[in-house]
Amino acid sequence: QVQLVDSGGGFVQAGGSLRLSCVASRSTTSFNSMGWYRQAPGQRRELVASVNDYGTTYVADSVKGRFTISRDNAKNAVYLQMNSLKPEDTAVYYCHLEDTYSRITWGQGTQVTVSS
């Protein structure tokens, strides 16, 4: 079973940047999709960005133009570059992986806090 370790969260002022990292315990070359969800207090967990096995990316409208998802197969890693951060981006961000058998794996979550 693959394990995911997500990291890179922190405290940042509005307009600042953070880069989240998600490292898998084994190769990520045979997955359906991998990406990031976030959940703020009292809110549902929502998809922020994802990349599929073809390298096609999805970015939610709320973060489009500010967030970029990328992958590095050599490092078994997926990254979320977050620029121009806003207070409404404050949430716990969770790495997510769905393999070719539709099995789901979650990272433990990393807190992102953006102050105004």
Side-chain angles (χ1 to χ4, degrees):
Q1 293 181 324
V2 64
Q3 293 178 284
L4 303 177
V5 178
D6 41 20
S7 62
F11 183 90
V12 66
Q13 298 287 330
S17 298
L18 288 171
R19 192 188 194 203
L20 305 185
S21 298
C22 176
V23 181
S25 60
R26 57 177 174 84
S27 176
T28 58
T29 58
S30 297
F31 61 87
N32 181 252
S33 66
M34 192 170 179
W36 295 89
Y37 283 71
R38 69 184 182 187
Q39 187 168 28
Q43 302 294 119
R44 70 185 188 279
R45 189 171 296 187
E46 63 178 353
L47 178 63
V48 177
S50 65
V51 57
N52 67 13
D53 53 336
Y54 295 100
T56 303
T57 60
Y58 162 84
V59 181
D61 287 342
S62 59
V63 302
K64 190 171 295 182
R66 300 186 296 118
F67 290 13
T68 303
I69 189 168
S70 61
R71 58 185 282 189
D72 186 340
N73 288 338
K75 297 181 179 179
N76 296 333
V78 173
Y79 307 99
L80 185 67
Q81 179 65 47
M82 305 186 295
N83 298 325
S84 302
L85 282 161
K86 303 176 180 179
E88 53 262 44
D89 296 319
T90 296
V92 178
Y93 286 70
Y94 297 91
C95 188
H96 173 275
L97 181 149
E98 180 178 351
D99 68 16
T100 54
Y101 298 95
S102 298
R103 294 176 296 193
I104 304 299
T105 302
W106 293 96
Q108 79 282 357
T110 184
Q111 176 71 48
V112 172
T113 303
V114 185
S115 66
S116 59

